[in-house]
């Protein structure tokens, strides 16, 4: 059975701190997505990682992919309140399969 | 540009009732999808469509039906609603197919009592 495991599931951070969210998956996938969901809102695509070693950055978020380890990370640098949201990773063996999400809260 | 529009945003049903969640997109995407999101869980695919007249089951299709008569519209029907169908439902669409970036609607929160 395909597993997409994110950890932590809940993360409370102080503004200005750094942290990493991890996404492990159990099957081959030629790409990996990260989505953001604000409370009560829809999901929006943040990154798509297409190959082993791929790294993408936007603002305070940086995502990377290690296809050999079946691991992706989403690193948060100097967190700000606006980053508070739930972050999902998703892999695509045949169709898109999502992790359970990491609910991030950034406190002043 | 509206993107993906879902209605209704909220609905309460009694056990055994039926209803249809509407989804329409104006991006001329061939592929459309219905997902459900349960608390603490990722999204699970219910049904998808590769174009008008063509639909297929996803991971959790039981208790649901879909149709795709036009490129724009992809309604999801719940027959004989059950408490297990209490969830948030998201419609999505894209051009590339099941492995491509998804564009989501804002969701429909359904409660079955």
């Amino acid at each position: 059975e395909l597993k997409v495991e994110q950890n932590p599931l809940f993360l409370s951070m102080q503004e200005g701190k750094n942290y990493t969210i991890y996404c492990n998956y159990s099957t081959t996938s030629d790409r990996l997505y990260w989505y953001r969901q604000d409370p009560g809102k829809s999901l929006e695509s943040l990154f798509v990682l297409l190959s082993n070693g791929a790294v993408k950055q936007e603002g305070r978020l940086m995502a990377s992919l290690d296809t050999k380890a079946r691991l992706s990370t989403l690193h948060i640098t100097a967190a700000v309140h606006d980053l508070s949201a739930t972050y999902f990773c998703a892999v695509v063996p045949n169709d898109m399969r999502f992790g359970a999400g990491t609910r991030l809260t950034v406190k002043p | 540009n509206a993107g993906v529009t879902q209605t209704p945003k909220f609905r309460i049903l009694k056990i055994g009732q039926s209803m249809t969640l509407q989804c329409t997109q104006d991006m001329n995407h061939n592929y459309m999808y219905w997902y459900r999101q349960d608390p603490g869980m990722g999204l699970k695919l219910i049904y998808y469509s590769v174009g008008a007249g063509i639909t297929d089951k996803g991971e959790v299709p039981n208790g649901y039906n879909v149709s795709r008569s036009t490129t724009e519209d992809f309604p999801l029907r719940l027959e004989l609603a059950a408490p297990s169908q209490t969830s948030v439902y998201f419609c999505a669409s894209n051009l590339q197919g099941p492995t491509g970036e998804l564009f989501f609607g804002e969701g429909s929160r359904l409660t079955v009592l």
Side-chain angles (χ1 to χ4, degrees), chain A residues 12 19-20 27 32-33 37 43 55 76 84 90 92 95 101 106:
Chain A
S12 182
Y19 207 83
T20 300
T27 190
L32 186 140
Y33 291 87
Q37 184 183 35
L43 283 76
V55 176
I76 303 153
S84 296
V92 285
D95 54 67
V106 181

Side-chain angles (χ1 to χ4, degrees), chain A residues 52-95:
Chain A
N52 186 44
V55 176
K56 288 200 173 176
Q57 182 164 7
E58 173 129 1
R60 300 173 188 274
L61 299 177
M62 182 173 71
S64 66
L65 178 62
D66 181 342
T67 58
K68 294 179 182 178
R70 296 181 179 171
L71 170 68
S72 179
T73 61
L74 182 65
H75 186 72
I76 303 153
T77 302
V80 293
H81 179 71
D82 285 354
L83 290 179
S84 296
T86 299
Y87 294 86
F88 292 91
C89 64
V91 297
V92 285
N94 296 302
D95 54 67

Side-chain angles (χ1 to χ4, degrees), chain B residues 24-95:
Chain B
T24 188
Q25 53 92 10
D26 62 2
M27 297 176 282
N28 204 28
H29 287 168
N30 285 331
Y31 293 85
M32 295 187 74
Y33 311 82
W34 276 104
Y35 285 87
R36 61 177 287 172
Q37 182 183 30
D38 298 311
M41 310 279 285
L43 281 73
K44 292 193 182 297
L45 181 64
I46 305 170
Y47 270 95
Y48 68 99
S49 170
V50 302
I54 306 169
T55 63
D56 207 347
K57 296 178 181 179
E59 195 179 357
V60 290
N62 291 344
Y64 306 95
N65 281 300
V66 293
S67 60
R68 184 97 180 270
S69 57
T70 67
T71 299
E72 295 79 18
D73 300 308
F74 189 41
L76 177 71
R77 182 151 181 89
L78 283 71
E79 306 280 3
L80 299 175
S84 61
Q85 293 177 305
T86 294
S87 189
V88 180
Y89 292 84
F90 287 97
C91 180
S93 71
N94 69 2
L95 278 173

Side-chain angles (χ1 to χ4, degrees), chain A residues 30-31 33 35 37 40-45 88 92-101, chain B residues 35 37 40-45 48 59 90 98-107 109:
Chain A
D30 68 353
R31 61 190 64 188
Y33 291 87
Y35 287 85
Q37 184 183 35
K41 299 294 185 181
S42 183
L43 283 76
E44 293 184 355
S45 176
F88 292 91
V92 285
N94 296 302
D95 54 67
M96 199 164 295
R97 300 296 179 101
F98 289 81
Chain B
Y35 285 87
Q37 182 183 30
M41 310 279 285
L43 281 73
K44 292 193 182 297
L45 181 64
Y48 68 99
E59 195 179 357
F90 287 97
T99 63
E101 178 186 359
L102 294 172
F103 297 85
F104 286 89
E106 292 212 335
R109 183 176 293 274

